[in-house]
Amino acid sequence: MSYTISPVVSDDVESVLKFLKRTFYLDEPILRAVDYCQTGNDDTHDLDEYCRHSLPGCSFQAKDEDGNLIGVLVCDRCPVVNPTDCLTALKDCKSPKYKTVIRMQIMREIIAEIWNQYPNDSELIEIKMAATDPKWRNKGVMNKLMGVIEKTARDLGVRLLRIETSSAFSAKSAESKGFKCIFSRPYTEFQFDGKPFIITEPPHLDDRIYIKELF
């Protein structure tokens, strides 16, 4: 089973969004916890716009011999500063369910203070979404995509790779690739008025941020 890796370009954005909707949107533990996307026909305007803001960025895709998408890594260069993107997204968000996700993310960023952990770095490459077609999982596709983005970061002179893992499986995968966990907190501890924003299903119980220092 052969496939090719290529950068995501502007003409690929809509096909990438459709792919993410039938893979990442349906499987991601936080999105599942708030019932954001149940089927491929659900309205996911807010998350689609978030992706469009990041794409094509420095994202990569894998395609099979027939040109079908089998894997996507959505990545972008981001500043290592107190983020304002989440606040803008919250203001513009139309979905109450997705607003819950954004509020939790804002709280995470405030607590983690990554900009204080890496005061000598001005930017990083953030791996925002990673998705593989179910028929192609456990065949090395994502490992290959991760290798490509790591090489790209080095070529650009960007020292840090960042990935957030809501899935216990993604966390294990990140650790196997040399990422270091710099923030971890149970979802039940992200609260408003004494109640958790989000309650996820086991084994996906912790929100984590991982960083890999490339040089």
Side-chain angles (χ1 to χ4, degrees):
M1 301 177 72
S2 61
Y3 57 90
T4 57
I5 304 290
S6 62
V8 173
V9 298
S10 297
D11 290 344
D12 299 320
V13 170
E14 295 308 313
S15 62
V16 166
L17 287 175
K18 290 179 181 178
F19 179 81
L20 291 171
K21 190 165 186 173
R22 69 178 179 84
T23 54
F24 187 90
Y25 289 18
L26 294 175
D27 294 340
E28 202 274 338
I30 297 179
L31 299 178
R32 288 174 61 90
V34 299
D35 294 325
Y36 180 68
C37 181
Q38 299 295 313
T39 72
N41 297 319
D42 288 357
D43 180 9
T44 54
H45 171 79
D46 294 299
L47 191 50
D48 290 343
E49 287 304 302
Y50 171 79
C51 292
R52 286 193 180 95
H53 180 72
S54 301
L55 290 167
C58 47
S59 305
F60 288 89
Q61 59 190 345
K63 292 184 177 181
D64 66 15
E65 292 176 325
D66 297 321
N68 300 308
L69 269 175
I70 61 170
V72 168
L73 206 60
V74 178
C75 310
D76 205 3
R77 295 175 76 165
C78 303
V80 185
V81 296
N82 193 343
T84 58
D85 286 352
C86 287
L87 295 174
T88 302
L90 182 64
K91 179 182 177 182
D92 296 338
C93 184
K94 296 178 174 58
S95 165
K97 294 178 179 179
Y98 194 59
K99 277 187 177 181
T100 299
V101 175
I102 298 174
R103 289 190 179 104
M104 190 279 294
Q105 292 173 335
I106 292 173
M107 184 174 289
R108 171 221 286 150
E109 297 301 324
I110 292 172
I111 297 170
E113 293 188 336
I114 290 182
W115 52 91
N116 285 333
Q117 296 192 51
Y118 297 95
N120 297 321
D121 292 275
S122 61
E123 64 177 349
L124 52 75
I125 287 183
E126 182 175 356
I127 300 168
K128 295 177 178 288
M129 295 185 188
T132 307
D133 185 281
K135 293 181 292 185
W136 282 82
R137 288 172 185 167
N138 301 314
K139 299 184 186 298
V141 175
M142 191 51 62
N143 287 340
K144 183 71 71 173
L145 286 166
M146 291 290 286
V148 171
I149 190 57
E150 183 171 328
K151 181 181 183 303
T152 299
R154 290 180 183 275
D155 290 345
L156 293 171
V158 179
R159 197 178 74 90
L160 305 178
L161 285 180
R162 166 179 168 154
I163 186 169
E164 299 154 14
T165 62
S166 57
S167 161
F169 309 133
S170 297
K172 185 176 180 179
S173 176
E175 290 170 1
S176 73
K177 294 175 175 60
F179 283 76
K180 175 186 175 183
C181 182
I182 64 163
F183 175 82
S184 179
R185 180 160 294 213
Y187 285 108
T188 53
E189 292 187 11
F190 293 98
Q191 298 184 0
F192 179 74
D193 285 344
K195 296 181 180 179
F197 283 105
I198 293 170
I199 299 177
T200 53
E201 297 179 354
H204 316 298
L205 302 178
D206 299 313
D207 181 67
R208 300 182 182 185
I209 300 174
Y210 283 87
I211 291 286
K212 186 170 185 177
E213 298 182 44
L214 300 179
F215 52 86

